[in-house]
Tab-separated table of all heavy atoms in Angstrom:
chain	number	residue	atom	x	y	z
K	1	LEU	N	12.325	6.685	33.153
K	1	LEU	CA	12.876	7.513	34.215
K	1	LEU	C	12.482	8.922	34.070
K	1	LEU	O	12.050	9.627	35.026
K	1	LEU	CB	14.489	7.519	34.197
K	1	LEU	CG	15.045	6.310	34.916
K	1	LEU	CD1	16.582	6.445	34.759
K	1	LEU	CD2	14.722	6.263	36.297
K	2	GLU	N	12.557	9.528	32.839
K	2	GLU	CA	12.009	10.859	32.644
K	2	GLU	C	10.606	11.026	33.077
K	2	GLU	O	10.284	12.020	33.683
K	2	GLU	CB	12.309	11.205	31.194
K	2	GLU	CG	12.066	12.651	30.922
K	2	GLU	CD	12.466	13.064	29.498
K	2	GLU	OE1	13.541	12.538	28.986
K	2	GLU	OE2	11.641	13.721	28.868
K	3	ALA	N	9.723	10.153	32.722
K	3	ALA	CA	8.356	10.107	33.044
K	3	ALA	C	8.183	10.151	34.597
K	3	ALA	O	7.480	10.919	35.203
K	3	ALA	CB	7.578	9.004	32.415
K	4	ALA	N	8.984	9.189	35.325
K	4	ALA	CA	8.778	9.015	36.661
K	4	ALA	C	9.292	10.301	37.437
K	4	ALA	O	8.617	10.841	38.419
K	4	ALA	CB	9.566	7.920	37.154
K	5	LEU	N	10.378	10.953	37.062
K	5	LEU	CA	10.913	12.173	37.511
K	5	LEU	C	9.816	13.270	37.339
K	5	LEU	O	9.689	14.088	38.316
K	5	LEU	CB	12.208	12.511	36.988
K	5	LEU	CG	13.349	11.603	37.435
K	5	LEU	CD1	14.588	11.963	36.550
K	5	LEU	CD2	13.600	11.555	38.872
K	6	SER	N	9.328	13.480	36.093
K	6	SER	CA	8.432	14.563	35.794
K	6	SER	C	7.165	14.487	36.482
K	6	SER	O	6.571	15.472	36.756
K	6	SER	CB	8.272	14.510	34.303
K	6	SER	OG	9.497	14.822	33.614
K	7	VAL	N	6.631	13.246	36.749
K	7	VAL	CA	5.330	12.998	37.331
K	7	VAL	C	5.459	12.857	38.826
K	7	VAL	O	4.572	13.490	39.599
K	7	VAL	CB	4.674	11.731	36.663
K	7	VAL	CG1	3.385	11.429	37.435
K	7	VAL	CG2	4.421	11.946	35.168
K	8	GLU	N	6.314	12.105	39.306
K	8	GLU	CA	6.193	11.673	40.721
K	8	GLU	C	7.270	12.487	41.593
K	8	GLU	O	6.981	12.764	42.781
K	8	GLU	CB	6.460	10.173	40.887
K	8	GLU	CG	5.359	9.433	40.349
K	8	GLU	CD	5.664	7.918	40.330
K	8	GLU	OE1	6.702	7.493	40.478
K	8	GLU	OE2	4.705	7.153	39.902
K	9	LEU	N	8.362	12.883	41.041
K	9	LEU	CA	9.351	13.561	41.852
K	9	LEU	C	9.241	15.091	41.799
K	9	LEU	O	9.640	15.722	42.831
K	9	LEU	CB	10.780	13.246	41.508
K	9	LEU	CG	11.116	11.765	41.976
K	9	LEU	CD1	12.626	11.402	41.537
K	9	LEU	CD2	11.078	11.443	43.381
K	10	ILE	N	8.789	15.525	40.781
K	10	ILE	CA	8.759	17.057	40.625
K	10	ILE	C	7.981	17.729	41.732
K	10	ILE	O	8.320	18.767	42.193
K	10	ILE	CB	8.205	17.515	39.244
K	10	ILE	CG1	8.576	18.785	38.912
K	10	ILE	CG2	6.688	17.250	39.067
K	10	ILE	CD1	9.980	18.989	38.474
K	11	GLU	N	6.935	17.066	42.263
K	11	GLU	CA	6.102	17.707	43.410
K	11	GLU	C	6.513	17.130	44.712
K	11	GLU	O	5.924	17.526	45.780
K	11	GLU	CB	4.651	17.392	43.151
K	11	GLU	CG	4.016	17.974	41.759
K	11	GLU	CD	4.154	19.559	41.819
K	11	GLU	OE1	3.903	20.083	42.905
K	11	GLU	OE2	4.347	20.014	40.673
K	12	GLN	N	7.424	16.172	44.795
K	12	GLN	CA	7.782	15.616	46.155
K	12	GLN	C	8.513	16.516	46.987
K	12	GLN	O	9.550	17.179	46.487
K	12	GLN	CB	8.776	14.341	45.808
K	12	GLN	CG	9.156	13.621	47.017
K	12	GLN	CD	8.120	12.892	47.729
K	12	GLN	OE1	7.065	12.544	47.128
K	12	GLN	NE2	8.153	12.745	48.984
K	13	PRO	N	8.090	16.805	48.107
K	13	PRO	CA	8.781	17.756	49.011
K	13	PRO	C	10.192	17.298	49.309
K	13	PRO	O	10.416	16.117	49.513
K	13	PRO	CB	7.974	17.572	50.288
K	13	PRO	CG	6.585	17.247	49.927
K	13	PRO	CD	6.839	16.370	48.715
K	14	GLY	N	11.167	18.222	49.201
K	14	GLY	CA	12.509	18.013	49.258
K	14	GLY	C	13.253	17.545	48.191
K	14	GLY	O	14.520	17.394	48.213
K	15	PHE	N	12.576	17.271	47.095
K	15	PHE	CA	13.260	16.977	45.814
K	15	PHE	C	13.744	18.212	45.220
K	15	PHE	O	12.956	19.215	45.037
K	15	PHE	CB	12.380	16.222	44.882
K	15	PHE	CG	13.015	15.998	43.537
K	15	PHE	CD1	13.960	15.069	43.342
K	15	PHE	CD2	12.575	16.720	42.446
K	15	PHE	CE1	14.487	14.811	41.991
K	15	PHE	CE2	13.034	16.496	41.103
K	15	PHE	CZ	14.107	15.619	40.918
K	16	VAL	N	15.058	18.266	44.950
K	16	VAL	CA	15.665	19.544	44.415
K	16	VAL	C	15.695	19.394	42.850
K	16	VAL	O	15.259	20.242	42.119
K	16	VAL	CB	16.992	19.879	45.025
K	16	VAL	CG1	17.574	21.044	44.325
K	16	VAL	CG2	16.892	20.126	46.543
K	17	SER	N	16.498	18.307	42.379
K	17	SER	CA	16.631	18.316	40.922
K	17	SER	C	17.105	16.978	40.530
K	17	SER	O	17.673	16.150	41.413
K	17	SER	CB	17.640	19.336	40.465
K	17	SER	OG	19.027	18.986	40.870
K	18	GLY	N	16.941	16.495	39.351
K	18	GLY	CA	17.388	15.286	38.870
K	18	GLY	C	17.809	15.411	37.366
K	18	GLY	O	17.287	16.245	36.624
K	19	ASN	N	18.918	14.863	36.974
K	19	ASN	CA	19.441	14.787	35.660
K	19	ASN	C	19.774	13.386	35.284
K	19	ASN	O	20.264	12.564	36.095
K	19	ASN	CB	20.844	15.607	35.674
K	19	ASN	CG	20.594	17.022	35.957
K	19	ASN	OD1	20.235	17.873	35.057
K	19	ASN	ND2	20.714	17.472	37.231
K	20	ILE	N	19.425	13.076	34.042
K	20	ILE	CA	19.605	11.658	33.527
K	20	ILE	C	20.548	11.813	32.380
K	20	ILE	O	20.499	12.605	31.491
K	20	ILE	CB	18.251	11.074	33.016
K	20	ILE	CG1	17.195	11.065	34.158
K	20	ILE	CG2	18.508	9.756	32.501
K	20	ILE	CD1	15.773	10.710	33.744
K	21	HIS	N	21.584	10.874	32.494
K	21	HIS	CA	22.665	10.794	31.439
K	21	HIS	C	22.625	9.388	30.731
K	21	HIS	O	22.624	8.422	31.529
K	21	HIS	CB	23.978	11.142	31.935
K	21	HIS	CG	24.044	12.390	32.829
K	21	HIS	ND1	24.416	13.559	32.323
K	21	HIS	CD2	23.738	12.682	34.096
K	21	HIS	CE1	24.408	14.506	33.175
K	21	HIS	NE2	23.937	13.879	34.315
K	22	ARG	N	22.646	9.287	29.356
K	22	ARG	CA	22.679	7.941	28.781
K	22	ARG	C	24.090	7.797	28.381
K	22	ARG	O	24.726	8.676	27.771
K	22	ARG	CB	21.718	7.905	27.714
K	22	ARG	CG	21.937	8.698	26.551
K	22	ARG	CD	20.898	8.524	25.406
K	22	ARG	NE	21.258	9.303	24.333
K	22	ARG	CZ	22.134	9.240	23.375
K	22	ARG	NH1	22.816	8.193	23.334
K	22	ARG	NH2	22.297	10.074	22.411
K	23	SER	N	24.620	6.575	28.611
K	23	SER	CA	26.011	6.350	28.197
K	23	SER	C	26.016	6.200	26.608
K	23	SER	O	25.011	5.654	26.023
K	23	SER	CB	26.415	4.886	28.797
K	23	SER	OG	27.660	4.533	28.209
K	24	LEU	N	27.136	6.607	26.003
K	24	LEU	CA	27.227	6.548	24.616
K	24	LEU	C	28.044	5.272	24.198
K	24	LEU	O	28.057	5.001	22.956
K	24	LEU	CB	28.044	7.805	24.077
K	24	LEU	CG	27.467	9.165	24.327
K	24	LEU	CD1	28.292	10.276	23.820
K	24	LEU	CD2	26.006	9.167	23.631
K	25	ASP	N	28.587	4.644	25.128
K	25	ASP	CA	29.258	3.264	24.790
K	25	ASP	C	28.769	2.114	25.467
K	25	ASP	O	29.422	1.094	25.297
K	25	ASP	CB	30.826	3.454	25.055
K	25	ASP	CG	31.111	3.660	26.609
K	25	ASP	OD1	30.103	3.688	27.354
K	25	ASP	OD2	32.211	3.799	26.953
K	26	SER	N	27.637	2.170	26.061
K	26	SER	CA	27.048	1.019	26.662
K	26	SER	C	25.612	1.269	26.982
K	26	SER	O	25.011	2.377	26.476
K	26	SER	CB	27.660	0.682	28.147
K	26	SER	OG	27.408	1.721	29.003
K	27	ASP	N	24.801	0.386	27.571
K	27	ASP	CA	23.352	0.615	27.877
K	27	ASP	C	23.148	1.228	29.237
K	27	ASP	O	22.066	1.538	29.651
K	27	ASP	CB	22.727	-0.726	27.976
K	27	ASP	CG	22.385	-1.217	26.506
K	27	ASP	OD1	22.298	-0.410	25.589
K	27	ASP	OD2	22.288	-2.506	26.359
K	28	HIS	N	24.250	1.700	29.857
K	28	HIS	CA	24.157	2.213	31.301
K	28	HIS	C	23.406	3.628	31.162
K	28	HIS	O	23.456	4.357	30.112
K	28	HIS	CB	25.554	2.482	31.886
K	28	HIS	CG	26.236	1.266	32.264
K	28	HIS	ND1	27.120	0.663	31.381
K	28	HIS	CD2	25.953	0.444	33.275
K	28	HIS	CE1	27.352	-0.541	32.106
K	28	HIS	NE2	26.737	-0.661	33.166
K	29	VAL	N	22.797	3.971	32.301
K	29	VAL	CA	22.104	5.258	32.494
K	29	VAL	C	22.478	5.730	33.848
K	29	VAL	O	22.457	5.064	34.791
K	29	VAL	CB	20.556	5.136	32.333
K	29	VAL	CG1	19.813	6.480	32.622
K	29	VAL	CG2	20.193	4.610	31.008
């Protein structure tokens, strides 16, 4: 996800920001 955001979304018109959070008690992101 970090790679996709950094490569494909960072230059996408209208994309403002993205934050990724990993769960500490499960595999969720």
Side-chain angles (χ1 to χ4, degrees):
L1 278 180
E2 190 174 312
L5 292 173
S6 297
V7 172
E8 294 172 349
L9 287 179
I10 200 74
E11 299 295 327
Q12 180 69 27
F15 173 72
V16 176
S17 69
N19 295 274
I20 302 170
H21 308 266
R22 65 177 178 83
S23 173
L24 300 177
D25 66 354
S26 69
D27 284 333
H28 292 98
V29 175

